[in-house]
Amino acid sequence: MPRNRMSLGLVSALAIALVGCAVPAAPKWTYAPPAAGASTTPNAAPVGMPMAGMGSAAPAGGTAIAAGSEIAIEAFDLGFKPAAIAVAAAGSYPVTFHNTGSTLHDLTFADGTKLSADPGATIKGTVSVPAAGIGFICSIPGHAAAGMTGTLTVAGSAAPAPAASAAPGAVAAAPVADPAAPKYTLVDATAPALLPGTVHDIDMPMIEKDVTVADGFVVHAWTFGGTVPGPTIRVHLGDTVKVHLTNQGTMSHSIDFHASQTAMNDQMVEIKPGATFTYTFKAEYAGVWMYHCGTAPALHHIANGMFGMVIVEPKGGLAKVDKEVAFVQSEWYLGPQGQPADYAKANAAAPAPDFVVFNGVANQYKDNPIAVAAKSRVRVFLLDAGPNEDSSFHIVGTIFDTV
């Protein structure tokens, strides 16, 4: 994923109609949808949960854990160690769950038993292992698809056929356009004005909300400030920026400003639900810069809407033009209607996004062309947030005179 895109200046004698590139035909899918009526409640085993009976019959080393002895499982970013465990007999076992990762993880068994641990924490509980065995995952969105799955089996038992659920990493069922979906909100492409002064306090709550990303398609996005992309921040070289973050969502997030220089363990910290944090940096390099959520898996958080643009003007500012516009290019990998973006699709070896868009919504500037006066001078600020596809941005029929 590109770290940044510098600002682009151009002259155009045409009205500009920019189109968010969309896949013209319905994509082909390689995975059958979940069975009708499958639960989507937060406490239900998500699609991809390893169910009873799946997995190997013995752990690495070949010795099963004695009946009633402790089962120790470590969570890291993004996996479990060990992920395949055998016990000597069915029954109740004490479980010690230790999180060595950088963000909140949980250990959720197929029967609903759940242990949650903050980074560095250890939690104890109990699980009942049936004769058929039992699967476990981390139920935080994206974590199971990224590899946080495992199984508990009973040594010597014959494993039954796997349950009828998707394997971790399977591609989601094709979403179907909903004619009753809310209409999208047109994003004004006008670049924001330079913030006054030299020290800027910016409130940017982290909000989960449904966003219409194309006609008939709704994503339950994770956002900065309630929009996708997040607010564009425009400052002058040498300014100090203080971004006040409040996590109003249900899962941990963080933020990484490419316009700043800071250690990962300094300000790119986990912000838990309900927590607040202020990220402070000095804008020391001019250009157009990305910011995004860096919480694992960062690919999923970016693909689900947590990104935005910072514009840092050089000393003396930029030359006066007739119109300025700002575009953030990104991709949508659709899961089921009203659900977050599909991590497995975004993480595929050859990603095939459902939509490639400008400013979060497919075709919005085709439906609502951006008009400029003939022979006027136009400046475009462009950021490719990805998370996967390169940008070949251009204005059809004209030439940039300054880049």
Side-chain angles (χ1 to χ4, degrees):
M1 181 179 63
R3 288 291 291 183
N4 68 289
R5 290 288 188 272
M6 300 304 290
S7 54
L8 304 179
L10 62 93
V11 175
S12 174
L14 302 173
I16 302 174
L18 295 170
V19 182
C21 303
V23 177
K28 295 181 180 179
W29 304 91
T30 58
Y31 159 65
S39 173
T40 57
T41 59
N43 293 326
V47 173
M49 165 70 82
M51 303 303 289
M54 295 179 67
S56 62
T63 303
I65 294 172
S69 296
E70 180 183 83
I71 296 171
I73 299 176
E74 173 192 335
F76 59 92
D77 298 333
L78 292 153
F80 290 114
K81 185 168 38 176
I85 305 168
V87 295
S92 181
Y93 288 81
V95 177
T96 296
F97 177 51
H98 180 48
N99 181 3
T100 61
S102 62
T103 189
L104 175 72
H105 291 299
D106 66 52
L107 178 64
T108 300
F109 292 93
D111 65 357
T113 301
K114 182 176 180 177
L115 302 174
S116 295
D118 289 327
T122 299
I123 303 293
K124 293 182 179 292
T126 303
V127 66
S128 179
V129 181
I134 191 169
F136 57 89
I137 66 168
C138 178
S139 68
I140 294 172
H143 288 202
M148 295 196 76
T149 66
T151 55
L152 278 169
T153 58
V154 176
S157 64
S165 68
V171 174
V176 177
D178 179 3
K183 297 301 181 184
Y184 66 76
T185 299
L186 175 65
V187 178
D188 185 358
T190 303
L194 183 71
L195 291 174
T198 59
V199 178
H200 314 288
D201 288 274
I202 299 166
D203 291 321
M204 199 185 300
M206 298 161 162
I207 300 170
E208 298 174 7
K209 62 181 294 187
D210 288 348
V211 175
T212 300
V213 302
D215 284 335
F217 295 96
V218 176
V219 172
H220 189 65
W222 311 324
T223 76
F224 290 110
T227 63
V228 180
T232 295
I233 299 170
R234 186 172 182 178
V235 299
H236 192 269
L237 190 69
D239 286 1
T240 297
V241 182
K242 299 179 180 180
V243 180
H244 306 286
L245 301 145
T246 301
N247 188 347
Q248 299 179 10
T250 60
M251 58 188 296
S252 293
H253 295 295
S254 60
I255 197 164
D256 173 7
F257 281 95
H258 291 189
S260 74
Q261 298 183 96
T262 184
M264 286 184 63
N265 61 353
D266 179 17
Q267 297 197 89
M268 300 177 204
V269 297
E270 178 187 31
I271 306 172
K272 298 177 185 176
T276 61
F277 181 76
T278 297
Y279 189 116
T280 302
F281 69 94
K282 187 174 181 180
E284 296 182 316
Y285 290 88
V288 172
W289 307 94
M290 181 176 177
Y291 65 83
H292 64 89
C293 180
T295 299
L299 174 70
H300 197 201
H301 289 244
I302 296 169
N304 205 43
M306 300 198 79
F307 55 83
M309 174 191 286
V310 175
I311 301 169
V312 181
E313 289 200 15
K315 290 182 179 179
L318 296 168
K320 184 178 176 64
V321 293
D322 299 298
K323 189 177 182 70
E324 292 182 323
V325 290
F327 298 116
V328 180
Q329 179 179 311
S330 62
E331 304 135 33
W332 285 113
Y333 300 86
L334 300 181
Q337 285 280 6
Q339 296 297 311
D342 185 75
Y343 175 82
K345 289 167 70 174
N347 195 43
D354 296 283
F355 298 105
V356 179
V357 303
F358 292 116
N359 292 343
V361 180
N363 296 324
Q364 61 178 324
Y365 304 126
K366 177 187 176 197
D367 300 338
N368 306 274
I370 299 169
V372 299
K375 300 190 182 302
S376 63
R377 187 166 178 79
V378 180
R379 177 178 291 119
V380 174
F381 298 103
L382 176 67
L383 170 73
D384 179 10
N388 293 314
E389 299 291 347
D390 290 341
S391 180
S392 298
F393 180 87
H394 66 289
I395 308 298
V396 177
T398 192
I399 299 171
F400 303 153
D401 74 0
T402 305
V403 178

